[in-house]
């Protein structure tokens, strides 16, 4: 009873799959009206505090829900092992991770150390694709394998942080190392794993073998130094063999070749002339209606101070025009800061054409500082 009371009182348990699963197991073991009054009251209290599951298992040093069902002798398991629903995009399965760069060759798993994850994310470079934690030796490993297979650019997995040695006995780090070394047996149990339940129910043997062939596991369990972890990641990236053969059953994200439209589509909201006012140290943005009538002038010291009011005042109605405006304001800002000249580019859909109907071409912008700023408004 005490363990269940602790679980009901612990806020982190309310969002955890361990408490959700434990309550289902207890309710299944004690049909309505059969459970002792005190137990029924605790179950009702705990269920009233449940919220949507945010994590399947945190790998806590003391897992109150697990201890509760063990003490009650209830058949079942606190820590869930059900398959998650895949999403479009990458990574397809939810988890406690941060994506940095899809085309990078290195993934970093910090096991149960969330603080270490934040440190690596903050300092990580272009060589790191994703950084995240892993708390269980079954569901956690399954999701890691599937998310990794969904990105054939990942060729290295750096395993760091402290492995969990709590009463539940997950040992996800040791279990993952065992998987990389020996794979799984006919029952999908990880060979040599010391975790409590190192059985993979939601991935195929083919997926496991493809993961073992494609991804090199770098075992640095216990390493908590962010600089050292980043050095390991850079070392791995330096010997990147290139993308692996995609796993046929994985949901991967394709790359679309960039392109320009075949014909110009003008923004019905009008067009802009951008120029730096070097004398006053300001960026200037003039907006013209499609009939050539100037209807607004915006000035500021940073691109955001111009494009935010332009958007909020409805001066941009097309996303491609908004992107073009941001690009030109950034170029004008660099000219203002570095003292160079600035010539507004034609809109990208124009290619090498000099002008568009109803839009001025190569107008001299009224900078007033003799810096040869010109606008090719769009």
């Amino acid at each position: 009873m005490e363990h269940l009371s602790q679980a009901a009182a612990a806020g982190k348990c309310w969002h955890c799959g361990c408490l959700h699963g434990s309550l289902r197991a207890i309710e299944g073991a004690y049909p309505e009206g059969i459970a002792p009054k005190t137990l029924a009251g605790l179950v009702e209290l705990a269920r009233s505090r449940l919220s949507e599951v945010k994590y399947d298992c945190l790998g806590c040093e003391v897992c109150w829900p697990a201890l509760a069902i063990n003490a009650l002798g209830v058949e079942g398991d606190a820590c869930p092992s059900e398959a998650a629903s895949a999403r479009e995009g990458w990574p397809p399965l939810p988890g406690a991770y941060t994506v940095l760069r899809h085309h990078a060759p290195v993934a970093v798993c910090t096991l149960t150390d969330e603080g270490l994850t934040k440190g690596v994310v903050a300092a990580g470079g272009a060589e790191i694709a994703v950084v995240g934690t892993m708390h269980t030796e079954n569901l956690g490993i399954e999701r890691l394998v599937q998310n990794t297979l969904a990105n054939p650019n990942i060729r290295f997995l750096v395993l760091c942080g402290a492995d969990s040695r709590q009463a539940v006995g997950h040992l996800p780090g040791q279990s993952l190392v065992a998987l990389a070394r020996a794979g799984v047996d006919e029952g999908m149990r990880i060979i040599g794993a010391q975790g409590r339940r190192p059985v993979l129910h939601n991935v195929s043997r083919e997926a496991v073998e493809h993961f073992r062939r494609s991804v090199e596991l770098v075992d640095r369990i216990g390493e908590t130094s962010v600089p050292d972890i980043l050095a390991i990641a850079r070392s791995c990236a330096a010997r990147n063999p290139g993308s692996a053969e995609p796993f046929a059953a994985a949901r991967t994200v394709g790359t679309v070749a960039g392109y320009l439209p075949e014909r110009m589509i003008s923004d019905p909201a009008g067009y802009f002339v951008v120029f730096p006012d070097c004398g006053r140290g300001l960026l200037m943005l003039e907006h013209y209606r499609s009939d050539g009538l100037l209807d607004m002038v915006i000035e500021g010291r940073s691109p955001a101070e111009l494009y935010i009011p332009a958007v909020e005042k409805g001066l941009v109605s097309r996303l491609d025009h908004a992107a073009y405006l941001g690009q030109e304001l950034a170029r004008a800002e660099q000219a203002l800061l570095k003292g160079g000249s600035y010539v507004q580019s034609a809109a990208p859909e124009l290619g090498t054409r000099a002008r568009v109907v109803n839009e001025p071409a190569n107008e001299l912008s009224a900078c007033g500082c003799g810096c040869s700023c010109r606008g090719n408004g769009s």
Side-chain angles (χ1 to χ4, degrees), residues 23-37 39-40 43:
L23 292 178
R24 288 195 297 268
I26 293 172
E27 290 167 338
Y30 295 93
E32 188 174 354
I34 302 293
K37 186 175 181 179
L39 176 60
V43 169

Side-chain angles (χ1 to χ4, degrees), residues 40-102:
L42 284 174
V43 169
E44 183 179 357
L45 173 64
R47 186 160 288 284
S48 70
R49 294 177 174 176
L50 291 182
S51 61
E52 183 180 356
V53 175
K54 292 184 179 179
Y55 28 78
D56 298 297
C57 177
L58 288 176
C60 301
E61 185 173 353
V62 176
C63 182
W64 298 114
L67 294 177
I69 63 172
N70 289 344
L72 291 169
V74 170
E75 290 292 330
D77 210 314
C79 304
S81 58
E82 295 84 5
S85 298
R87 311 165 296 185
E88 293 297 329
W90 182 76
L93 298 179
Y97 50 71
T98 299
V99 173
L100 298 183
R101 184 169 303 207
H102 178 261

Side-chain angles (χ1 to χ4, degrees), residues 287-372:
H287 182 261
Y288 293 82
R289 297 188 334 196
S290 56
D291 61 3
L293 180 68
L294 173 68
D295 62 359
M296 188 169 296
V297 178
I298 305 173
E299 62 181 32
R301 298 189 180 278
S302 70
E305 292 179 15
L306 278 69
Y307 67 67
I308 288 177
V311 171
E312 291 182 346
K313 294 180 182 299
L315 304 182
V316 185
S317 66
R318 290 182 56 85
L319 293 178
D320 56 350
H321 200 198
Y324 164 78
L325 176 60
Q327 168 190 286
E328 288 305 304
L329 287 172
R331 292 182 59 240
E333 181 187 36
Q334 288 301 305
L336 186 65
L337 295 175
K338 297 180 179 179
S341 62
Y342 166 73
V343 177
Q344 184 175 345
S345 300
E349 62 268 27
L350 299 181
T352 59
R353 286 174 288 172
R355 57 168 300 161
V356 182
V357 176
N358 292 330
E359 297 196 6
N362 296 325
E363 288 188 350
L364 179 64
S365 299
C367 176
C369 66
C371 66
S372 301

Side-chain angles (χ1 to χ4, degrees), residues 12-34:
K12 64 179 179 178
C13 291
W14 306 342
H15 312 286
C16 186
C18 294
L19 181 55
H20 285 247
S22 295
L23 292 178
R24 288 195 297 268
I26 293 172
E27 290 167 338
Y30 295 93
E32 188 174 354
I34 302 293

